[in-house]
Amino acid sequence: MAWANQGMQALIPVINRVQDAFSQLGTNVSFELPQIAVVGGQSAGKSSVLENFVGKDFLPRGSGIVTRRPLILQLIQDRNEYAEFLHKKGHRFTDFDAVRKEIEDETDRVTGQNKGISPHPINLRVFSPNVLNLTLIDLPGLTKVPVGDQPADIETQIRDMILTFISRETCLILAVTPANSDLATSDALKLAKEVDPQGLRTIGVLTKLDLMDEGTDAREILENKLFTLRRGYVGVVNRGQKDIVGRKDIRAALDAERKFFISHPSYRHMADRLGTTYLQHTLNQQLTNHIRDTLPTLRDSLQKKMFAMEKDVAEYKNFQPNDPGRKTKALLQMVTQFNADIERSIEGSSAKLVSTNELSGGARINRLFHERFPFEIVKMEIDEKEMRKEIQFAIRNIHGIRVGLFTPDMAFEAIAKKQIARLKEPSLKCVDLVVNELANVIRQCADTMARYPRLRDELERIVVSYMREREQTAKQQIGLIVDYELAYMNTNHEDFIGFSNAEAKASQGQSAKKNLGNQVIRKGWLSVSNISFVRGSKDCWFVLTSDSLSWYKDDILYERKAEKTRRKADE
Ligand code: GDP
Ligand code: MG
């Protein structure tokens, strides 16, 4: 092995151990360890390159964003072949299909199944005689369009996550670009250039050389004459989709790759600097050199942190010596505190503790129910002309061939039911808003135990997943209630009779404008919920017209602006 300097090889495992320690503390994101991050567009071939290094199929595949949490992949040379996750320490995976399953499950555990992403990394170690010591971070691919119920800003979310990793000076960037696309528009290179404008720590990887158009080649790029990078480019040929479906062995694929380069007229002369095996070696070497270069700075900052912590520890010991139960007590105390905080935030605080500069969680939830929700209901557009037409059709269809004498109830029911069904959407939206708010409350309350990040994460996870369960139940209930209302309409109810009184009252008042289509429906609803949020109204019977609606909108906009300013001030 001419490449690897054995003494230097030992550096990577040392950094691995430091990395693990930081991951377990939950603070690794803030610390700068030498590492290699793999970036590239979706389907650029990132996963394929990583799998080739390991010689096993073990990464989740599929369409869309498959990698949704950073995967810190530590390759370690060892006589035995197995994998181990940091979150399942001691469990040796020898079946790599199970490794894939575990990555998928662990991804969903944190992100939920809604295809969201999370910056919280998964740590995987692969021990094998076939790997070189190397630590790589697989990051979500850059996407353009959100799919399914992915958040609309998924592109920026992913970009930001990648940037937090690669903007650190200690991070080498493995920029993966398919050779059958234009390098000038490569997502990976563009992003790398943002944080490494001189191309000092970017290593280019060209995949899919086998898929280039007949008569074209990537020779100039691979010779580093075009789009020059200090560390140059390495070309590879991974398995195509067909090979993967046919479960082509990675060994065979590596042989095929080698043959491809030796026999290709444009690449023959540089075949020993191309391919997966070469890439693996050069990365091992570059990472080792890189660690050596950053070691002094790293040692300094580690030492500083350690001194600071030792001081803390010493203070703790002096404070209350020889009490083994103290730690447990402290943890319990924190959980109790969390409990109390949540309750106070939602149920309201005592006059002593009340905050005067922002709304508490409970108050914000109150606002959702009493301001936002009615607003959503009022906002529902009802096209009066359209409704009249519908009523006419309904009446005619009910009469059929006969000529009707009276207006049939069924016509009213058909139209009213349609409107009732529309209540479902704003109601469910209200649940979503409340859940969001609750999640904020939980996060804020959990932050008081930020000194114990693992405890905080676990607590937050348990509480949030309980809340999600209740969310489902609430949504089912809402569905049921609307279904009840649809199943039977009690026209004998006092609200129903009050209906005509209301109209009489309203038209005496100042809002005598005739806008029947909208008024009737809304008045009916408002009478039921007995709401008195309208400024200046002393009576809960009132007519909401487009005028009152527009000032109400202004009010909400004003509130939002105020909150923004407040947040800025907080920061
Ligand atoms: P990722 O989204 O960047 O992780 O990309 P993948 O590694 O999942 O690859 C996406 C698709 O491209 C898969 O179907 C691969 O089989 C295929 N692919 C990747 N690299 C190559 C290559 O060098 N040659 C060929 N023919 N197909 C490739
Ligand atoms: Mg992938």
Side-chain angles (χ1 to χ4, degrees), residues 46-47 60 66-67 138:
K46 300 179 296 300
S47 300
V66 181
T67 310
D138 191 15

Side-chain angles (χ1 to χ4, degrees), residues 288-337:
T288 303
N289 290 343
H290 186 59
I291 291 177
R292 199 188 45 211
D293 293 345
T294 47
L295 215 49
T297 341
L298 182 69
R299 233 186 79 156
D300 265 7
S301 48
L302 270 178
Q303 216 146 40
K304 263 192 209 126
K305 267 208 171 160
M306 203 172 83
F307 284 146
M309 282 192 176
E310 274 174 351
K311 224 173 105 195
D312 278 356
V313 171
E315 274 170 17
Y316 252 118
K317 279 188 184 153
N318 290 337
F319 180 60
Q320 214 173 25
N322 309 329
D323 184 357
R326 225 199 59 208
K327 200 169 162 190
T328 324
K329 243 187 261 166
L331 292 188
L332 268 178
Q333 238 165 33
M334 260 182 280
V335 175
T336 319
Q337 181 64 36

Side-chain angles (χ1 to χ4, degrees), residues 402-431:
R402 288 163 291 141
V403 185
L405 190 53
F406 302 107
T407 306
D409 279 3
M410 272 157 79
F412 164 75
E413 272 201 21
I415 300 301
K417 275 186 178 173
K418 234 174 125 176
Q419 299 301 329
I420 293 174
R422 291 179 64 188
L423 291 175
K424 217 180 237 182
E425 198 194 310
S427 312
L428 293 178
K429 189 169 168 189
C430 182
V431 176

